[in-house]
Amino acid sequence: VMNSGATAPEWGTVAGGKILQVVSTSDATVYSATPGGSTFIEPLTSLRAVITPSATSSKIFVMLTLPLAGGDAGNVASGQLAFDTAGGSSNVIVPPNSGHQVDGEYAHFPLPLLGTSYDAHSTAYSVLHSPNTTSALTYKFRGKSEATSGELYINRTIRDSISFDPRTVATITAMEIGA
């Protein structure tokens, strides 16, 4: 901000928007399964970000990076971010301006099911959550495939060749943003 004479900058106090705390967890667990059906599952149970907001007016910015591949190119899979409250139930973060649901639940992003055995993609998703609580929150990834035969691979390719294919790491980060 410039001073009243427009001759020099002045520094004032910032009102809100500050990052108050950051928690991040990585998981290199290799996951391979067929999560087909109508229920979202939590494939990486240690990929969780636990954060306790300092005020009910705080927002939580959650970022997920998920390296994955799938073994059924004719079908689609879906992913979502969910959270648990301390001692409470599991909830899905409702995407802003979204009325679309998959099997009666909100799906945040598609998970590519590839037809090649050596390819993998890194899916990145972020959301700004307004939990309105000072209780501990546990953020986690859940996913499902529409096909009962479609494999889902996390942190590896389908062929998983020790000579050519890298193993990868999934990460979830939560940041508390002050109001």
Side-chain angles (χ1 to χ4, degrees), residues 21-22 37 44 46 88 104 118 126 154:
Q21 61 175 314
V22 177
L44 300 177
S46 62
Y118 53 83
S126 60
I154 300 175

Side-chain angles (χ1 to χ4, degrees), residues 24-27 43-44 47-49 61-68 78-82 108-111 122-127 139-143 154 169-174:
S24 187
T25 303
S26 295
D27 189 342
L44 300 177
L47 186 65
R48 295 175 166 213
F61 185 62
V62 184
M63 297 174 290
L64 173 71
T65 303
L66 191 67
L68 54 91
S78 299
Q80 64 181 202
L81 279 175
H108 297 132
F109 47 90
L111 302 174
S122 185
T123 296
Y125 181 75
S126 60
V127 67
Y139 291 94
K140 58 190 177 181
F141 160 74
R142 298 193 307 189
I154 300 175
V169 178
T171 303
I172 189 166
T173 302

Side-chain angles (χ1 to χ4, degrees), residues 3 8 21-22 28 35 39 44 63 66 82 85 95 100-101 109-110 116 119 123 126 148 150 159 163 173:
N3 66 7
Q21 61 175 314
V22 177
T39 304
L44 300 177
M63 297 174 290
L66 191 67
T85 54
H100 183 71
Q101 296 186 356
F109 47 90
T116 59
D119 206 358
T123 296
S126 60
T148 55
R159 77 177 172 188
S163 300
T173 302

Side-chain angles (χ1 to χ4, degrees), residues 17-62:
K18 296 178 185 174
I19 296 176
L20 304 178
Q21 61 175 314
V22 177
V23 295
S24 187
T25 303
S26 295
D27 189 342
T29 302
V30 172
Y31 175 83
S32 171
T34 307
S38 61
T39 304
F40 280 91
I41 63 164
E42 185 182 357
L44 300 177
T45 56
S46 62
L47 186 65
R48 295 175 166 213
V50 181
I51 193 166
T52 304
S54 59
T56 57
S57 60
S58 293
K59 298 189 182 315
I60 308 296
F61 185 62
V62 184

Side-chain angles (χ1 to χ4, degrees), residues 54-178:
S54 59
T56 57
S57 60
S58 293
K59 298 189 182 315
I60 308 296
F61 185 62
V62 184
M63 297 174 290
L64 173 71
T65 303
L66 191 67
L68 54 91
D72 192 347
N75 292 288
V76 69
S78 299
Q80 64 181 202
L81 279 175
F83 69 98
D84 298 336
T85 54
S89 61
S90 184
N91 302 283
V92 175
I93 299 172
V94 177
N97 305 316
S98 176
H100 183 71
Q101 296 186 356
V102 176
D103 287 332
E105 291 193 72
Y106 287 101
H108 297 132
F109 47 90
L111 302 174
L113 298 176
L114 308 168
T116 59
S117 64
Y118 53 83
D119 206 358
H121 288 273
S122 185
T123 296
Y125 181 75
S126 60
V127 67
L128 186 62
H129 184 216
S130 302
N132 193 30
T133 186
T134 56
S135 296
L137 300 165
T138 303
Y139 291 94
K140 58 190 177 181
F141 160 74
R142 298 193 307 189
K144 71 175 185 172
S145 172
E146 73 174 357
T148 55
S149 63
E151 290 273 337
L152 181 62
Y153 301 93
I154 300 175
N155 291 329
R156 59 164 274 199
T157 62
I158 295 170
R159 77 177 172 188
D160 200 27
S161 168
I162 198 165
S163 300
F164 302 106
D165 303 330
R167 289 281 177 94
T168 53
V169 178
T171 303
I172 189 166
T173 302
M175 295 188 281
E176 180 184 3
I177 311 295

